[in-house]
Structure formats: C-alpha cells, structure tokens
Amino acid sequence: MKLIITICFFLLMTVAAGDATLSEKTTKCPFRYLYHFGDGVTDIGNSIRVMPWFDMPAKKYPYGKTYPGWPTGRWSDGLVDFDYTAIDFGLPFIVPYLSMDRYTRYDGVIFSVARSPVLDHSFFKSKGVVIPPYAVSLGGQMNWFRKYLQSICLKPKDCVERLENSLILMGDIEGNDIGYLLTQGKTILEELIRLGATRIIIPGNGPVGCVPYILTALQTNDPTAYDDIGCLKTVNNFIVWKNDNLQDAIENLKREFPKITIYYGDMYEGPDRNNMALKSCCGIGGKYNYNSKRVCGDKGVPVCPNPDRHIYWDGIHFTQQAYYTMEHLLVQPALGSFNCTSKLLSAVM
Ligand SMILES: *[C@@H]1O[C@H](CO)[C@@H](O)[C@H](O)[C@H]1NC(C)=O
C-alpha cells in the first residue's frame, strides 16, 4: 500500500513539475544516488515524522495548496528545492528518510529536517536560543545516515561503492547557523569522504535579510538600514561575508582532498526580488504579512490567491515557484561539473 502511494505520488509529482522540467528528464549523470542533508528548503517530509504527535504548520492546509492540494510535509505550497534538484539530475524517485521502506529502491534519500541547524540542541540551550523541538542537527542527520548505510551495506566495501556512486548535497542549513558548517560541518564532510563520498555540493545561503520573518524580527525605523528593495543591509552583508568564507573553506577542502569534486552552489542570486513583494503569501499582520504567534496553518490565517507571484510562502520558507527558480540557478551550472549530460537539452539548443 505504502509503495503504491509512493508511486502514485511520484507520478503526480512528475506531472505537477510540468513541461518546464521535461527537457531535463533525460539527464544522465555518472552516479546513481542522491543524498541530502539540510533544512526546510529540502525537507520533503521528515520534520512531520520526527515528532508525529507534535502540532506543526506543515501538517496543515494550506501547506501543499498548489500541489498536490493537501499537506505532504513540505514547508511550501507545493514542491520544494530538492524535488526539482532530483528531477534535474535525472534521479527523481526520492524519499524522506523517516518514511522509506527498505524493500524499495530509491534514487535518493533526504535526511533534511525543517528548521534544523548544524549544531545540536544542547548548544542552543546553553546559549538560551530556542529552536523547534523537532529540529535534527547535522550530526543527528549524520547518525541517520550511518544507520541507513548499515541497513544497505553487507560489507564496508559495499558502502564505499554506494557512496562512490552518489552525489551528496549538504545545505542549505538555517541561515543564522551556516557559519558552523565551516567548523562542525567539516568533520562531518571529512567523515563522508572517508566513507567513500566523491561528489559533494555545498550550497551557500540566500539573502536572509529579505526574508519576512527576519524583516519582522529586526524591523527598524531607520531607513538607511534597508537597501533599495527593502532588504536588511547588515543581515545580507553578513550572509555575503559568510558565503565568502564558505567558498574559502571549500577551496581548502579541495586542496586537502584533490580527488573529490566539491562544488559551491550559489544561492544568493535567486528569484528577482525587485518585482516581488517581500511579504509572506500565507500569513497575517504587519508590514511583511508575518506574525510568529499566528503562522500559516493556524486558524484564521489567510493565504494569498496566487502563490506563484510570491517568493515567500509562510514567512520563512519559499513558494514552489521560487524554489523552481532558485534550484535551476543552482543545478543547471552544476550539471556540467558533475559530467551529467542532457539529451533533450542539447536537442533544444
Ligand atoms: C568528469 O570527467 C572528467 C574527464 O573524464 C574526469 O577527469 C572528472 O574526474 C569527472 N568529474 C566527475 C565529477 O565525475
């Protein structure tokens, strides 16, 4: 039954993804599996399964409003970043780790959990910072991955072969925490490489200073705090600085592991914010249509009629349309770097 649902969902997803992705369907890459670690941008259904009893927005309508019409555990009105990534790499049959069944052969497993940071809960507790109870740190996601490998490999050599035949994506991870990817995340990257990983994509951060929940939390009357499209300059400058550091760290890793292909994914250039409101589509109140006490999915919180014309879905995560745009900017340039070829794409050109 579960398998049938999964297959139906996959077919629906392929249809929903529509004509725009048809050209990528024939993409052939010299690897067979995708694995992803990260947060809500790529979570396709783990967070709602971490604490099944916990009341959380992504379980409720209007999540999933655009596609498939009901909530799926994605923090969006439809598909998220990684759905499109998987389609673009020609490996669309992906599953959240917490709902996989061991008898099915998937193209990819997602370990991402919405709102998850790099560091463990204990770190945030010691700093007095509240993170959602269902968040699973990068280390926790790595524990899942080790368990997963144990379940699929009879011998350590099998695991090496599997990882050599894979592409690993690490991030995006909650913006305010990305710096730790350079320090804590490095040991995890090194472990993955030791286990046999040879292809890794590490996306940078998007302009967090444009996101409604940040704009709301750090709202100020000082007009010089904002750039010409209304994003917070200090936050975005900080992100640019972090992304520069991340790229330096990646260059160092490449020198350390010359045989490994490590790719920096630029997520800073995203959908054109000039022509779009910096407001949540689903939300209520304030300048940015976001209120942390009455969030999307809560009773009486309205949803915009046209999510496709919005970048931000619930004030924190993006709309399906925005994911589609961002993901193409990330994956299309990456395809060549990973020796993927796309038949139809060349036929079009
Ligand atoms: C791509 O192909 C080239 C030439 O065959 C090879 O040297 C390189 O290692 C390949 N890169 C990846 C990521 O597979």
Side-chain angles (χ1 to χ4, degrees), residues 280-341:
S280 316
C281 159
C282 181
I284 193 163
K287 194 171 169 197
Y288 305 102
N289 207 30
Y290 177 78
N291 177 344
S292 62
K293 299 205 174 64
R294 291 187 72 193
V295 294
C296 183
D298 285 351
K299 263 211 179 67
V301 174
V303 57
C304 69
N306 48 358
D308 282 4
R309 300 220 204 109
H310 282 252
I311 294 177
Y312 301 102
W313 165 244
D314 56 7
I316 300 178
H317 304 98
F318 299 89
T319 59
Q320 170 174 284
Q321 185 60 39
Y323 280 128
Y324 178 79
T325 310
M326 289 185 328
E327 188 281 335
H328 271 55
L329 288 169
L330 170 72
V331 173
Q332 294 307 322
L335 288 175
S337 304
F338 290 98
N339 291 344
C340 301
T341 54

Side-chain angles (χ1 to χ4, degrees), residues 30-31 198-200 258-262 334-340:
F31 49 87
T198 58
R199 302 174 191 87
I200 300 168
K259 294 205 185 94
I260 313 297
T261 305
I262 308 173
L335 288 175
S337 304
F338 290 98
N339 291 344
C340 301

Side-chain angles (χ1 to χ4, degrees), residues 168-222:
I168 292 176
L169 293 99
M170 200 177 240
D172 169 352
I173 297 274
E174 285 275 288
N176 55 6
D177 192 40
I178 190 75
Y180 295 108
L181 191 59
L182 308 179
T183 50
Q184 314 290 320
K186 185 158 183 275
T187 55
I188 290 174
L189 278 174
E190 285 168 348
E191 177 176 352
L192 287 169
I193 292 170
R194 251 197 335 273
L195 287 169
T198 58
R199 302 174 191 87
I200 300 168
I201 294 183
I202 305 175
N205 262 125
V208 175
C210 305
V211 180
Y213 95 101
I214 295 288
L215 286 167
T216 304
L218 304 179
Q219 198 162 349
T220 163
N221 291 326
D222 175 9

Side-chain angles (χ1 to χ4, degrees), residues 42-315:
T42 50
D43 183 356
I44 60 168
N46 280 323
S47 64
I48 60 161
R49 291 179 173 89
V50 173
M51 297 170 80
W53 60 89
F54 193 78
D55 176 48
M56 67 174 80
K59 284 183 182 168
K60 291 179 270 189
Y61 196 80
Y63 283 84
K65 174 187 191 281
T66 305
Y67 173 78
W70 59 84
T72 64
R74 289 167 173 79
W75 294 70
S76 167
D77 61 313
L79 299 176
V80 296
D81 182 296
F82 198 71
D83 291 307
Y84 293 117
T85 302
I87 293 168
D88 271 3
F89 277 112
L91 296 166
F93 192 30
I94 52 174
V95 66
Y97 172 69
L98 293 184
S99 72
M100 66 182 293
D101 92 59
R102 52 180 303 196
Y103 305 105
T104 309
R105 197 183 149 119
Y106 302 102
D107 294 337
V109 182
I110 279 65
F111 298 89
S112 308
V113 181
R115 308 302 310 277
S116 290
V118 174
L119 300 179
D120 292 325
H121 283 267
S122 55
F123 169 84
F124 292 96
K125 212 169 163 195
S126 73
K127 300 275 182 222
V129 174
V130 181
I131 59 168
Y134 50 83
V136 177
S137 70
L138 203 54
Q141 294 178 25
M142 190 64 199
N143 284 338
W144 285 354
F145 188 62
R146 289 188 201 102
K147 267 199 209 129
Y148 163 78
L149 285 181
Q150 275 166 16
S151 75
I152 58 160
C153 313
L154 294 175
K155 305 182 291 289
K157 192 170 145 280
D158 298 342
C159 280
V160 173
E161 270 167 25
R162 169 66 68 117
L163 279 172
E164 279 175 356
N165 199 13
S166 305
L167 170 67
I168 292 176
L169 293 99
M170 200 177 240
D172 169 352
I173 297 274
E174 285 275 288
N176 55 6
D177 192 40
I178 190 75
Y180 295 108
L181 191 59
L182 308 179
T183 50
Q184 314 290 320
K186 185 158 183 275
T187 55
I188 290 174
L189 278 174
E190 285 168 348
E191 177 176 352
L192 287 169
I193 292 170
R194 251 197 335 273
L195 287 169
T198 58
R199 302 174 191 87
I200 300 168
I201 294 183
I202 305 175
N205 262 125
V208 175
C210 305
V211 180
Y213 95 101
I214 295 288
L215 286 167
T216 304
L218 304 179
Q219 198 162 349
T220 163
N221 291 326
D222 175 9
T224 64
Y226 298 93
D227 68 14
D228 46 5
I229 55 169
C231 304
L232 282 162
K233 283 195 268 190
T234 44
V235 178
N236 280 351
N237 290 342
F238 180 63
I239 296 296
V240 169
W241 177 81
K242 292 259 179 177
N243 282 344
D244 286 347
N245 275 288
L246 181 59
Q247 288 178 76
D248 288 347
I250 288 173
E251 287 309 314
N252 287 337
L253 271 175
K254 282 182 180 169
R255 275 192 286 275
E256 204 176 322
F257 303 101
K259 294 205 185 94
I260 313 297
T261 305
I262 308 173
Y263 182 93
Y264 170 76
D266 187 356
M267 299 295 274
Y268 197 84
E269 299 302 325
D272 184 5
R273 285 171 178 78
N274 281 305
N275 303 315
M276 299 253 197
L278 302 175
K279 275 178 193 264
S280 316
C281 159
C282 181
I284 193 163
K287 194 171 169 197
Y288 305 102
N289 207 30
Y290 177 78
N291 177 344
S292 62
K293 299 205 174 64
R294 291 187 72 193
V295 294
C296 183
D298 285 351
K299 263 211 179 67
V301 174
V303 57
C304 69
N306 48 358
D308 282 4
R309 300 220 204 109
H310 282 252
I311 294 177
Y312 301 102
W313 165 244
D314 56 7

